[in-house]
Amino acid sequence: MRRVLVANRGEIACRIIRTLRRMGIGAVAVHSDADAGAPHVRMADAAHRLGPAPAAESYLRADLLIAAARAHGADAVHPGYGFLSEDAGFAEAVEDAGLVFCGPTPAQIRVFGRKDSARDLARAAGVPLLPGSGVLAGADEALREAAAIGYPVMVKSTTGGGGIGMSVCTGPEQLADALARVARVGEASFGGGGAFLERHVPRARHVEVQILGDGRGRVVALGDRDCSLQRRHQKVLEEAPAPGLDDGLRARLHADAVRLGEQVSYRSAGTVEFLLDADTGEAFFLEVNTRLQVEHAVTEEVLGIDLVEEMIRIASGGRDLGAAAAAVPRGHAIEARVYAEDPARGHRPSSGLLTRVRFPEGVRVDGWVEDGTHVTPHYDPLLAKLVVHGDDRSDALARMAAALAATELHGLETNLGLLAAATASGPFAEGRPTTAALAGLAPEPATVEVLAPGLVTTLQDHPGRLGLWAVGVPPSGPMDDRSHRLANRLAGNPEGAVALEMTRIGPTLRFDRDARVCLAGARMAADLDGDPVPWWTPFAVARGSTLRLGAVEGPGARTYLAVAGGFVAPRYLGSASTFTLGGFGGHGGRALRTGDVLRLGPDPGTPAGAAAPPGAIPEIASEWEVEVHYGPHAAPDFFTEEYLDEFLAASWSVHHNSDRTGVRLLGPRPGWVRSDGGDAGLHPSNIHDCAYAVGAVDFTGDMPVVL
């Protein structure tokens, strides 16, 4: 095997390419437009564009993938997981094209892909099954079968997967609706399929056995994993070996998995999943995943093997499973899936620019994100997997807790807090995980949700980003630093803490924790759950309350909101301040948008100040008298004497397009001495040797700008 096309993206594509390079095999990456700059594209020996961002127009196009393999001289295809990895038609198309498919045979994918035929195989192999039905002909049969099985029952689509196409019924009155719903999901997600019933186990565990087959009849079991901790039927924390199994049950599960694989002379890596009743200890066949699992890393860590390498060796015609089969389990491994989602809001997917990505040293990280990665809504929200290995389970738990605490991901919301809570206490931490273990775990978020962003709302700290004009970065920081600093002091923060700066029209914010806040600067319309709030005075905001800020009601343009503990934002070039023109700093390098979630630092516990004394409050007016001095380019070489008199005496208005880069002024049109800029250009304002000076009034064309 000389070259392998990796028919996937994200962390699994990176994982496969690393193994191929170590084996001395060339790697061909594929990508959509959204992934053109992704790490797996840079890592590969060659890369091929598939199409636009939607998966249906790129990663799910079997014809484009096979064409890419041919175009780059690949002789094999590795599907990874997800997308087309369990699509029998794709595996057939690969083999029909004369390429090697690094996975099971198309027939094996097809027979295990349908739950009804998989159950038939398990029954024939003597593997215990949950009490259930065959494929149902209609609602009447479903009612009879459910009565025989006993409620609660689970309605399952024969073609479902990944938690899709399942519905629990606690009584007969729910059955007809559940059947219709499962049928709709099966048709929409998998192109059809029937439905069947299984007994529902309220306190269940998911335990799976990793198998490896040579395609000629030999199948070995490579240990087991527990994957019970889930949200929406999607796994979150996995570990190997599965805790709390007695030796007899563990041996039976391994033997059942091997026997089932031998039924079809299984080829490549696969996973046999079992459902364990946590109350009775009974174990039943659940399904077979005919691909590499997301959680394969914990098996690799415990056994010291590379499952991707084993899949490639088998696909290349290798017969020897001895090295993998002889591996001796050592210690305990735990994997945490880091998702771009918000557990506090129903695990709502989160997308945007990652402004800071930091993973701990000494921990296996299978990931694909880095500083500057834009996470789109087009694909699965998995960002990375943290994998730790310890001498025993308690050691592994401690290592995972430390790894989660050391991980930083800024710019969008993740489930890091939920993962930390799950490993610290509760059923998973105690070694008795179930599929419902996360249901009662809801760590209180320290966040603020942006319900409406206002006109231009940004995060700013003091003194901001200074001293970088030489590399083209103008000063960042609060425009009205006195109001910004005073708001922080009154809230009990250091005066340089990160606060919100709001321009002309303020945002609507919902607080997810109790907070102490202070408003300062230009007075805006403001209320807390409909009640008026004070200015220049700290006040309390209860968890769940909504603070609404409207339009400025007097002089000034910018208002500041400080929260005890400050807003959390990574420092970039020495400051957390937002520089919107450069696209960095603050939250995502931009002004806030609806749906953004801002993180709060821990309340310092310092006493809040009382109301600001009148003498400390800066005077905010509509007019200023500004002192200016002649610079190097004035009268008589550039401007007429009459215009300079007019310039100094005029009342100027601030243009709406003004920011930290420059304050643009509207006023009398300049009187120029010359008609053009000579060698410097057509406009008379153009000169060769003008250096931009902070505080200068610079003429860009006919408009003066205070830099």
Side-chain angles (χ1 to χ4, degrees):
M1 195 175 290
R2 296 174 294 103
R3 267 195 167 189
V4 175
L5 179 125
V6 183
N8 219 295
R9 66 173 298 278
E11 64 87 14
I12 185 57
C14 295
R15 164 80 176 86
I16 295 168
I17 291 170
R18 280 194 294 269
T19 295
L20 289 170
R21 294 180 70 175
R22 184 168 46 77
M23 295 176 72
I25 299 173
V28 179
V30 293
H31 64 87
S32 69
D33 290 342
D35 285 335
H40 76 278
V41 176
R42 303 196 304 267
M43 290 169 61
D45 300 287
H48 188 95
R49 175 188 178 270
L50 294 174
E57 300 176 52
S58 53
Y59 296 107
L60 292 176
R61 288 281 302 274
D63 57 333
L64 297 180
L65 290 164
I66 292 170
R70 285 173 164 162
H72 294 277
D75 45 17
V77 174
H78 197 301
Y81 49 68
F83 293 136
L84 296 175
S85 62
E86 291 181 289
D87 188 303
F90 176 57
E92 279 180 338
V94 169
E95 295 188 348
D96 289 346
L99 304 170
V100 175
F101 184 74
C102 299
T105 68
Q108 291 163 357
I109 296 173
R110 187 169 284 114
V111 72
F112 284 125
R114 287 186 59 91
K115 289 184 169 59
D116 51 342
S117 55
R119 283 168 60 86
D120 291 342
L121 275 176
R123 189 179 293 110
V127 180
L129 294 170
L130 274 168
S133 72
V135 179
L136 299 166
D140 290 341
E141 184 183 5
L143 287 167
R144 291 193 300 272
E145 292 286 351
I149 296 168
Y151 290 95
V153 294
M154 177 81 81
V155 183
K156 285 188 172 182
S157 170
T158 57
T159 52
I164 301 172
M166 303 193 305
S167 184
V168 177
C169 298
T170 57
E173 69 282 355
Q174 300 172 336
L175 203 53
D177 286 344
L179 275 172
R181 186 164 57 252
V182 167
R184 286 194 302 272
V185 171
E187 183 64 37
S189 301
F190 307 103
F196 65 98
L197 300 180
E198 275 185 349
R199 189 183 87 194
H200 175 60
V201 179
R203 283 180 28 83
R205 289 180 61 185
H206 277 199
V207 173
E208 57 190 37
V209 176
Q210 177 71 58
I211 61 171
L212 195 66
D214 64 5
R216 300 173 178 84
R218 188 182 181 203
V219 178
V220 296
L222 302 179
D224 49 79
R225 306 183 283 255
D226 188 289
C227 308
S228 300
L229 217 67
Q230 302 175 8
R231 56 95 174 105
R232 294 178 178 173
H233 304 292
Q234 290 290 321
K235 299 163 186 174
V236 176
L237 281 164
E238 299 106 346
E239 59 183 314
L245 302 185
D246 63 62
D247 292 342
L249 176 57
R250 199 182 303 275
R252 286 198 303 275
L253 294 180
H254 290 199
D256 286 345
V258 168
R259 200 160 58 251
L260 184 54
E262 290 173 341
Q263 283 280 102
V264 295
S265 295
Y266 192 82
R267 182 184 79 186
S268 195
T271 299
V272 182
E273 293 202 6
F274 297 90
L275 187 145
L276 269 65
D277 189 322
D279 294 321
T280 67
E282 297 174 283
F284 306 97
F285 170 76
L286 189 61
E287 64 181 354
V288 175
N289 291 294
T290 54
R291 56 172 167 80
L292 193 68
Q293 291 282 88
V294 180
E295 59 273 17
H296 72 277
V298 290
T299 295
E300 292 180 329
E301 291 299 305
V302 168
L303 293 180
I305 61 174
D306 185 331
L307 282 169
V308 173
E309 181 175 341
E310 297 299 327
M311 294 175 74
I312 293 168
R313 290 189 189 283
I314 292 168
S316 300
R319 295 171 176 268
D320 182 20
L321 302 181
V328 178
R330 179 184 61 85
H332 200 93
I334 299 175
E335 174 182 288
R337 301 191 193 187
V338 182
Y339 288 111
E341 63 183 21
D342 190 349
R345 293 164 183 83
H347 298 277
R348 182 179 71 190
S350 182
S351 59
L353 179 71
L354 280 167
T355 52
R356 182 178 173 87
V357 177
R358 295 293 182 272
F359 292 113
E361 297 289 336
V363 170
R364 174 173 172 175
V365 179
D366 288 1
W368 65 279
V369 295
E370 57 196 356
D371 288 3
T373 295
H374 186 77
V375 179
T376 75
H378 296 291
Y379 312 115
D380 185 272
L382 182 65
L383 301 178
K385 302 179 304 186
L386 302 182
V387 188
V388 299
H389 182 268
D391 295 335
D392 51 31
R393 191 171 191 273
S394 61
D395 183 31
L397 275 172
R399 291 174 183 269
M400 179 56 74
L404 291 168
T407 300
E408 290 185 65
L409 293 163
H410 291 277
L412 45 76
E413 282 306 284
T414 71
N415 64 333
L416 280 171
L418 183 67
L419 293 170
T423 54
S425 63
F428 180 84
E430 295 163 7
R432 46 183 186 84
T434 68
T435 56
L438 279 182
L441 190 64
E444 182 177 337
T447 53
V448 174
E449 182 178 7
V450 180
L451 303 182
L455 185 60
V456 179
T457 304
T458 59
L459 294 174
Q460 303 292 337
D461 63 0
H462 180 77
R465 192 173 293 106
L466 304 175
L468 297 172
W469 260 122
V471 291
V473 180
S476 306
M479 287 287 280
D480 175 3
D481 67 283
R482 289 185 62 192
S483 295
H484 176 282
R485 290 181 288 133
L486 184 53
N488 267 322
R489 289 203 302 269
L490 293 172
N493 293 333
E495 66 175 20
V498 181
L500 279 185
E501 180 180 86
M502 303 161 284
T503 303
R504 300 297 298 173
I505 300 173
T508 300
L509 308 169
R510 182 165 55 214
F511 285 72
D512 298 319
R513 81 161 195 210
D514 293 342
R516 185 174 67 248
V517 308
C518 185
L519 287 166
R523 187 177 290 268
M524 289 177 167
D527 71 80
L528 181 64
D529 294 333
D531 295 325
V533 295
W535 285 77
W536 306 102
T537 304
F539 59 94
V541 177
R543 177 185 178 186
S545 292
T546 299
L547 179 64
R548 295 177 180 83
L549 292 147
V552 170
E553 296 181 321
R558 287 175 172 82
T559 304
Y560 296 87
L561 172 66
V563 180
F567 291 92
V568 176
R571 293 174 68 82
Y572 187 86
L573 296 177
S575 170
S577 286
T578 310
F579 176 35
T580 55
L581 190 62
F584 53 76
H587 184 80
R590 55 171 171 78
L592 300 186
R593 299 172 185 162
T594 299
D596 282 344
V597 177
L598 306 177
R599 302 175 195 172
L600 299 177
D603 191 322
T606 54
I617 298 173
E619 181 181 351
I620 298 174
S622 295
E623 297 183 2
W624 299 266
E625 185 170 323
V626 180
E627 181 178 355
V628 296
H629 299 269
Y630 275 79
H633 310 114
D637 297 325
F638 295 91
F639 298 110
T640 65
E641 292 284 0
E642 294 77 16
Y643 174 69
L644 277 180
D645 291 339
E646 187 179 16
F647 173 85
L648 295 172
S651 293
W652 295 84
S653 298
V654 175
H655 189 273
H656 68 274
N657 190 20
S658 296
D659 58 19
R660 288 167 186 78
T661 309
V663 178
R664 299 173 184 272
L665 302 177
L666 296 174
R669 185 178 179 85
W672 298 98
V673 171
R674 55 189 192 161
S675 60
D676 58 51
D679 292 341
L682 293 177
H683 197 276
S685 67
N686 292 348
I687 56 177
H688 281 300
D689 61 345
C690 179
Y692 293 119
V694 175
V697 182
D698 175 77
F699 276 79
T700 302
D702 287 337
M703 178 178 282
V705 182
V706 182
L707 295 176

